[in-house]
Amino acid sequence: MANEGANVVDLTQTWSDTKTINGDDGNYTDPASAAPKPPDVHPDGKGGFADSSGRPTNDKGILVDENNVPLDPSPPNTGFFTVHLDTVYSAEQTLLHEAQNQITQFEAFRDEVVSQEAWIFFAEKAEDLIPSYHESWQDSSGDFTNNNVFSYPEGTYAVAKDGNPEETAKLVHAQNQLLQGCGTAIHLVGTFVGQLNDAAQMYAGADRASWAPDPD
């Protein structure tokens, strides 16, 4: 393969600021600057070394005792802990039961919203979108100072009509996004329950694997 290695970056070269690699400009760290720094130690004037805090070390920066013997690092202060798997299981079942209830309620609410979104923003009821025969009639509304009269001709037509389909589409889209957000929240609860179950399984597996084998 003649082009093998053509796109490999040589990390041994030093670049001051930027360099073009395959047509892209980017900032790169000087390999010498990225190398591990030597320990911050200095001669203590007594034939040994000390760190920046004055503690005795060897030339590698490792703390030593009065005999220049390296000291073991302090063990982490983790302490003991106990995992009650029955409590984890109880919490998991409580969350799972509530999530199942939320799924049932959400699906019922979703179905109701979807069934009404075609008319809910501009009509009083779904039947207003169904064409039917009407005799001519008038409808008046308002008060004594501002009376509006609406005339409806004879014919077959739907009582309600969407006067602004674009705005209605925006409202439906926003409503569906809200429904999706609710569904996502329930999904995240289910994901957490699954992770809780995985954690309990790992603790149980670690407990089973920690038993020492029977002596010969």
Side-chain angles (χ1 to χ4, degrees):
M1 298 177 62
N3 293 327
E4 184 177 0
N7 294 329
V8 176
V9 179
D10 183 6
L11 297 180
T12 62
Q13 59 183 316
T14 58
W15 303 324
S16 56
D17 295 317
T18 63
K19 189 174 182 66
T20 300
I21 299 295
N22 300 329
D24 297 326
D25 290 334
N27 295 312
Y28 298 93
T29 302
D30 183 348
S33 300
K37 301 297 187 298
D40 183 16
V41 298
H42 58 273
D44 60 0
K46 303 175 184 178
F49 297 89
D51 61 14
S52 57
S53 299
R55 297 174 299 180
T57 70
N58 58 19
D59 59 346
K60 296 180 176 59
I62 299 175
L63 296 177
V64 296
D65 60 14
E66 63 274 6
N67 297 318
N68 205 35
V69 176
L71 297 174
D72 293 330
S74 300
N77 186 20
T78 57
F80 294 100
F81 66 93
T82 303
V83 178
H84 297 281
L85 295 181
D86 56 340
T87 303
V88 177
Y89 177 78
S90 176
E92 175 193 335
Q93 292 301 307
T94 299
L95 289 172
L96 188 60
H97 177 72
E98 182 60 29
Q100 290 172 337
N101 290 336
Q102 291 294 328
I103 291 173
T104 301
Q105 296 177 27
F106 170 74
E107 289 180 342
F109 177 65
R110 178 205 59 196
D111 293 344
E112 181 179 1
V113 170
V114 171
S115 67
Q116 297 178 355
E117 64 183 10
W119 57 269
I120 193 67
F121 295 110
F122 60 90
E124 293 185 1
K125 55 185 181 296
E127 289 77 9
D128 291 344
L129 274 68
I130 302 175
S132 60
Y133 173 76
H134 299 276
E135 295 181 353
S136 61
W137 59 289
Q138 290 184 340
D139 179 30
S140 61
S141 61
D143 52 30
F144 293 106
T145 59
N146 184 19
N147 191 42
N148 298 317
V149 179
F150 301 94
S151 297
Y152 296 89
E154 180 183 3
T156 300
Y157 53 86
V159 175
K161 181 180 180 181
D162 190 355
N164 194 340
E166 293 183 0
E167 186 65 25
T168 300
K170 292 180 181 179
L171 292 173
V172 171
H173 178 68
Q175 182 174 256
N176 290 339
Q177 283 187 316
L178 181 59
L179 283 174
Q180 186 177 18
C182 295
T184 300
I186 298 175
H187 174 76
L188 290 175
V189 173
T191 301
F192 174 74
V193 172
Q195 293 177 338
L196 194 61
N197 184 276
D198 289 343
Q201 296 288 350
M202 287 188 288
Y203 277 120
D207 184 61
R208 288 192 296 267
S210 66
W211 289 98
D214 294 333
D216 295 334

